[in-house]
Structure formats: C-alpha cells, structure tokens
Amino acid sequence: MSQSTQSPQQDAPAPKQGGDFNPRTGSRHWAARVFKLMVFLATISGIVVLGVLLVDVAVSGIPRLSLDFLTSLGASSPENAGMYAGLIGSLWLIALTALFAVPLGIGAAIYLEEYASDNWLNRIIEVNISNLAGVPSIVYGLLALGIFVNYLGFLTGGTSILSGAAALSLLILPVIIIATREAVRAVPGKVREGAYALGATKWDTVRGHVLPMALPGAMTGTILALSRAIGETAPLIVVGAATFMTFTPNGPTDRFTALPIQIFGWTTLPQQGWEAVAAAGIVVLMVVLLLMNSIAVTIRNKTQRNG
Amino acid sequence: MTMKAGQGRGSDPDLWRGPSRLQRYKESFIKGLLATCAYISILTTIGIVFILVYEASKFFREISVFRFLTSTSWSANFAEPEFGIIVLLSATLLITAIALIVALPVGLGAAIYLSDYASARVRKVLKPILEILAGVPTIVYGFFALTFVTPLLRGEILPWFAPLPNLSIFNALSAGLVMGVMIIPTVASVSEDALYAVPRGLREGAYALGATKYETVTKVVVPAALSGITAAFILGMSRAIGETMIVAVAAGNLPNLSLNPTESMQTMTAYIVNVASGENPAGTVQYQTIFAVGLTLFIITLSLNVISHFFVRRYQEDY
C-alpha cells in the first residue's frame, strides 16, 4: 500500500488514496468511554459495599450500646450481655503481645539492616520472614495450641492469656520486622557516616542516631500491626479462648476471652436479640481500631512534616 | 601534636586507640542479642513445620495418607470415622473461586482506574478508603455475610429483590461473595504496583500510534503487567484459602461434598475452628485431625505464596 499524507482534520470513515483504512474513531472513543465508566464503577463498588456494611452494623448496633454494655459481665441473655470481659481480655492480650513482639521485631529489624552481612544464612532469614507474613493466621493458632498450650503448658498455664499472646506475637512479628526495616532503611546514610567518622561504635550510632530517627516509622508500623492483632479471632479460638465468660482474668495464666471472640460467640447464637448485641460489639471493636489507626496515622503525618 | 614515626599504639597517650576491650565485648554482645531476635523467625518456621508434621503423623498412623487424600466422605464422629480431605478441600476451593470471580475484575478494574485514569487528588482520597477494606476484621465480614448478604439474597431485606428464596441459611455463596470483597484490596494493590512498573514509554508509544486510552490499557499496559497481575491473583487465592472467620460463621459446619454454592458446607479452616472450640483433648483422633488439615492448608498456601513471589520477581526483573 502506498503512503499518502492526510490532513489531521479527516476522521470520517471515507476511503482514502492509501487504501481502505478506516480509523472508526467514533466507535473506538465510545468504547473508551464505556471502559472508563466500568473501571470507575469497579473502584466505587468496593467502597459502596464497605459503606453498606458499616451502615448495617451501625443501625443494628448503636441502639444497643450503653455504658452498661461496656461494663457488664453478663452472658446469659441478650438483655444483660456485656463486653467487659472481652475488653479486659483484649487489653491483657495486647499488652503482652506488645511486650513480646515489639522488642523482638525491632531488634531483628536492626540486626538485618545494620549488622547482618549478605551471607546465605541471612538471606534465608529474609525469605523466611516474608513467607511467614503470608501464613494464614489459623496456622499460628495451631502452633500455639500444639506447643504453648500443650507441651509448654506447665509454663504458660495451658489455655491462657500467655498462650494467646504468644500466638498473636508470632503472627504480627513479620509485619513489625518488615515495617521497622523500611523505617531504618529510610535513615540517610550520611547520619551513620558522620557518626562513624567521629569515632562512634556501631551500637553508639544505632542507639544514638539511627534508632531515634527510625522510631516514628517503626511505631506507625507497630501500631498498625497491633491493631490487626486486636481484630484476630481464629488463632485465639484454636488456642481455646472462651466464647462466653462471666469473670475477668486475674493473671496471665488465666483463661480469657477477647472482643472479637465475644462477637463470634454472639453471632453464632440463633435467638433473636443476639444479632443486635453482636452488632454493638462490632461497633466497639471498630471504634477501638479507628482510634489506634488514627494514632498511627497522626504519628506518621507529624514526623513527615518534621522530617 | 607531632607525628612520631615508628611508634605503635601504646606510645602516644593523646592518640585515640579505638574502642576499649570492654566496649568491644559490649558491641559483640549486643550484636549477638539482636541476631537472636532475628533467628527467632527461623524458630517460628521450624516450630510450625514441626508441630504440624508431628501431630499429623500421629493421625496418619491411624488413617493412611491414601485414604485421607482419596476418600469422598468426612465423618469424624461416627463409629467408623472417614476422613477424606476432598470434602473440606472442595468447599474451600469453591468459596475461593466465588471470591476470585468477585475480586479479580473489581480489584483489577480499581487498579487500572487508580493507576491510569484517576487524578492525583482522586487517588489520594480513594486509595486509603480501599485500604480500609483490608483493615476490617474478618469476623465483621462474617457477621455481614450471615446477617445481611444471605437474607438479602433470600429476599428478606428488599421485598422486590429475591433471587434465591430457597438459599440455605448457611451457604457457600454469601461467604464467597463477602470474601471476594475482603480480598479486593490485596488484588488491587499488587496489580497496581505491576501496572505502575510498566514504563511510560510503552504507553506513550501506543498513544502516539493513535490508540485510545482503553486500547492502550487493554492491549499494551495490562499484557505488559501480566506477571504482576498473575501474582496478585495467586496472592488473593492464597488469602482466600487461609481465611477462617467468614466461612466459619456464614458457610456452615457440616462437611458436604458438593459444587452447589447455595448449600451449606464446611471448609478446612472452619473445620479446624469447629473442632478446636469443642471438647477434643490432646491425644484424641479428632485433635490430631486438625493438625492434618492444618498441614494440608499450610502446604497449599505456602506453595501459592512461593509461586506468586516468582511472578513478582519476573515483572521486577523485566523492568
């Protein structure tokens, strides 16, 4: 086919000197507009479903909320059921989980970023951590059940807060390590080099310069990880958390329940009034999560403005 | 201070000699302490593999692996118990398939919109909202599936909308649909990374040749990002397979080998939760079955995660 020059205004489907090339611009642009609408709808549909979910939970749950609901230990009927046992249990769990997972995670991240040489063992550790991040949470529950509840039962008290916290700590440890590594990596090399040039040892540099600069980013990641741990149900059920409890634990070796476990228990009861109770529990859980996520985002925004 | 030739470390007290021996021991100690923290992660994996294999092996001494893999019924509490993993695995896969049918088009569509169509301002608003979907606890999704989606499909919420009035209260369809919504952010964010990695030059070449945005996206960008999108798909599949609470609450607790999503069925994860929350002390066959099922689950999700990493590396190396 011979080449021919065409003026830019020609877009009508008329055969030209060069052949029967028909750009079909009209229908192609129409198809483009339809596609743009489709992908926009795809994006919006997820958000719409989220909105429906939140409205449904709020409508069923908010009427049932009251100070009584938050402080009651009742569990026998929809009228006197309360969240207190779950709130205290979750508090215990998060405190212990933070105690175990945060130092371990930050320590591991500092080692991998600042100290570890690039040998096969350290590369295996890195691959291992990213694999652990993808393991289903219920497997962590099985790990805790088999080892912490049964074999180490004499240490942990069996089905206890310690075993539950162990499951959650191991679950969020990879997340904390990955987030802290990013924060440490973001510290500029000049800071370290300046410190070394002045004669500081490696630990001096890390403790005095790298860690303080990486801490806000690490804290953001840690708080997000902890907020994920608060919402986890499956590992705790496998460890043996009680779904209905009318007393609060006195120590880390006691049996326990938690916010999401209570919600699970209420959801599975067929009688009429329990659905509202479960919805109210969900509202409480979401408020707690919202608070924690806001704290994390605030820390991140504050330090991004300063940094 | 004058430089004195030929003199060693101990001679000039004004020259700094480096860290003292005590300081060096302290440095080694700290390095060892931090290394221990890192090695805990290896201990975790060893622990997981050990406990799953050990307890499952006790189970496989009673029931042969062959029967476990090929039997077509699962009846754990009968006098003559049968343990065919196919029953639980088919439920898991059916619900996962429904979830992917929802999540793949929506997630990929959202990724395309956010990476190629949306302005920076719109992205700043919509992306975090999509991330919220990922932060909702799964028990909340389970509650939603059981108390809203199932009644909606049965016609109990909107009187003019009753596509499946005979839907069972516990069914695979509601669980699958809601699970699909839950994994939209996973599919969307991995796909978006893949689309973002496609060089601008490819897009601009297509526009220069007169392609519309739709044609550029579907014929140039998406095929170029295919390995990343495959990774997103596999990662979403892995998350759906390992997910517990949505199916435990909404899909049912009776093992049922069926491909009919309107029926109730029990997945692998729901089975583990069901048995673990009941009276099954350590040492009983029922207790050991949850480790056998857990081992199957772990192997499947681990394989899928490894395969998806392979696909991510492929597109990262291409560009």
Side-chain angles (χ1 to χ4, degrees):
Chain A
M1 271 212 241
S2 56
Q3 294 274 36
S4 59
T5 50
Q6 302 162 2
S7 86
Q9 284 88 6
Q10 272 181 302
D11 61 358
K16 306 178 185 55
Q17 298 127 293
D20 342 272
F21 174 59
N22 173 2
R24 294 184 301 118
T25 323
S27 61
R28 283 167 55 210
H29 278 295
W30 183 83
R33 253 172 273 143
V34 167
F35 183 72
K36 179 173 182 179
L37 182 66
M38 275 172 41
V39 289
F40 176 71
L41 286 178
T43 316
I44 291 294
S45 62
I47 300 179
V48 163
V49 174
L50 177 65
V52 169
L53 186 155
L54 292 175
V55 165
D56 172 50
V57 165
V59 160
S60 317
I62 292 187
R64 182 66 184 75
L65 274 183
S66 65
L67 199 56
D68 255 351
F69 181 66
L70 292 174
T71 55
S72 150
L73 280 173
S76 50
S77 77
E79 287 77 39
N80 74 358
M83 285 216 97
Y84 192 58
L87 279 170
I88 300 293
S90 281
L91 209 62
W92 267 103
L93 277 174
I94 289 306
L96 284 179
T97 304
L99 193 65
F100 298 148
V102 175
L104 274 181
I106 296 188
I110 293 180
Y111 175 76
L112 288 171
E113 280 298 311
E114 300 283 329
Y115 286 85
S117 42
D118 193 19
N119 57 30
W120 64 272
L121 180 60
N122 293 320
R123 243 174 285 147
I124 288 188
I125 296 183
E126 296 191 1
V127 170
N128 186 41
I129 290 178
S130 64
N131 277 338
L132 282 176
V135 169
S137 60
I138 197 168
V139 174
Y140 284 100
L142 287 172
L143 169 66
L145 175 65
I147 295 192
F148 293 105
V149 173
N150 288 319
Y151 291 119
L152 294 180
F154 57 94
L155 267 181
T156 57
T159 299
S160 65
I161 301 183
L162 269 181
S163 307
L168 293 179
S169 311
L170 293 177
L171 175 67
I172 66 173
L173 197 55
V175 180
I176 295 185
I177 293 180
I178 293 176
T180 309
R181 283 191 74 175
E182 304 257 317
V184 168
R185 228 175 279 163
V187 174
K190 300 184 199 138
V191 171
R192 296 182 183 84
E193 287 165 13
Y196 292 141
L198 289 171
T201 62
K202 198 154 207 162
W203 176 240
D204 284 340
T205 326
V206 167
R207 186 174 54 109
H209 300 279
V210 177
L211 196 49
M213 282 183 73
L215 212 51
M219 276 298 110
T220 309
T222 304
I223 295 181
L224 290 175
L226 285 173
S227 75
R228 182 183 151 189
I230 292 188
E232 280 292 338
T233 327
L236 296 178
I237 300 183
V238 172
V239 162
T243 38
F244 303 103
M245 228 171 127
T246 50
F247 53 94
T248 57
N250 291 318
T253 55
D254 285 348
R255 317 202 89 212
F256 67 104
T257 187
L259 278 178
I261 309 272
Q262 282 188 305
I263 297 173
F264 172 63
W266 291 325
T267 309
T268 54
L269 288 173
Q271 292 87 13
Q272 186 49 18
W274 292 109
E275 188 179 317
V277 178
I282 292 179
V283 171
V284 172
L285 179 62
M286 301 285 272
V287 165
V288 169
L289 287 177
L290 189 67
L291 255 133
M292 289 191 73
N293 281 19
S294 320
I295 296 179
V297 168
T298 316
I299 296 181
R300 178 169 57 192
N301 289 346
K302 267 188 67 175
T303 54
Q304 269 182 357
R305 246 179 285 140
N306 294 338
Chain B
M1 202 170 17
T2 50
M3 297 274 278
K4 301 187 180 126
Q7 285 179 321
R9 281 170 77 150
S11 54
D12 186 340
D14 290 331
L15 283 174
W16 183 63
R17 293 181 218 117
S20 69
R21 197 187 304 173
L22 181 63
Q23 261 191 312
R24 274 180 281 138
Y25 283 155
K26 182 178 114 177
E27 290 288 313
S28 306
F29 175 72
I30 290 182
K31 178 174 179 178
L33 201 63
L34 295 177
T36 316
C37 295
Y39 294 153
I40 300 259
S41 65
I42 302 209
L43 263 181
T44 309
T45 306
I46 295 179
I48 292 179
V49 173
F50 165 72
I51 195 68
L52 289 177
V53 169
Y54 179 59
E55 297 287 339
S57 69
K58 290 192 206 160
F59 168 76
F60 285 125
R61 248 170 265 157
E62 308 262 336
I63 314 273
S64 77
V65 178
F66 182 73
R67 265 175 69 192
F68 182 70
L69 291 175
T70 57
S71 164
T72 55
S73 83
W74 184 283
S75 44
N77 295 316
F78 286 13
E80 301 257 344
E82 265 301 316
F83 297 104
I85 191 72
I86 301 264
V87 178
L88 301 178
L89 186 58
S90 71
T92 301
L93 291 178
L94 176 65
I95 296 183
T96 300
I98 299 176
L100 287 172
I101 291 178
V102 168
L104 194 57
V106 176
L108 186 55
I112 291 176
Y113 179 74
L114 287 174
S115 78
D116 274 78
Y117 283 89
S119 68
R121 253 184 5 185
V122 171
R123 267 193 98 214
K124 256 184 81 172
V125 169
L126 288 184
K127 236 188 111 128
I129 301 185
L130 271 183
E131 292 298 314
I132 296 183
L133 274 176
V136 173
T138 53
I139 180 65
V140 177
Y141 279 119
F143 173 84
F144 182 60
L146 182 68
T147 64
F148 187 84
V149 177
T150 299
L152 177 70
L153 291 174
R154 282 163 55 113
E156 293 163 17
I157 306 235
L158 297 170
W160 43 269
F161 180 74
L164 296 165
N166 293 322
L167 189 62
S168 152
I169 303 260
F170 298 113
N171 63 84
L173 182 62
S174 307
L177 293 175
V178 173
M179 199 190 290
V181 172
M182 182 197 84
I183 62 177
I184 288 175
T186 308
V187 174
S189 75
V190 179
S191 301
E192 204 197 326
D193 286 343
L195 291 171
Y196 194 73
V198 174
R200 281 181 59 187
L202 281 179
R203 288 181 174 89
E204 287 168 8
Y207 293 139
L209 289 171
T212 62
K213 198 161 204 172
Y214 158 64
E215 289 159 354
T216 313
V217 163
T218 51
K219 295 187 179 146
V220 176
V221 180
V222 167
L226 205 52
S227 5
I229 295 176
T230 313
F233 173 76
I234 297 178
L235 220 53
M237 194 189 319
S238 164
R239 268 216 72 186
I241 289 181
E243 166 41 44
T244 311
M245 297 321 294
I246 303 182
V247 287
V249 167
N253 274 319
L254 284 174
N256 174 14
L257 179 58
S258 158
L259 282 177
N260 180 354
T262 62
E263 293 178 17
S264 95
M265 49 186 72
Q266 187 180 51
T267 65
M268 298 194 292
T269 47
Y271 174 75
I272 297 177
V273 157
N274 195 9
V275 172
S277 57
E279 282 303 314
N280 290 297
T284 60
V285 180
Q286 280 74 21
Y287 174 80
Q288 287 154 4
T289 56
I290 64 177
F291 289 91
V293 174
L295 180 62
T296 316
L297 184 71
F298 179 67
I299 293 176
I300 295 178
T301 53
L302 187 65
S303 316
L304 287 176
N305 288 346
V306 166
I307 295 177
S308 94
H309 275 173
F310 165 72
F311 277 101
V312 169
R313 286 256 312 276
R314 262 186 65 179
Y315 86 75
Q316 281 177 344
E317 280 162 14
D318 280 343
Y319 302 121

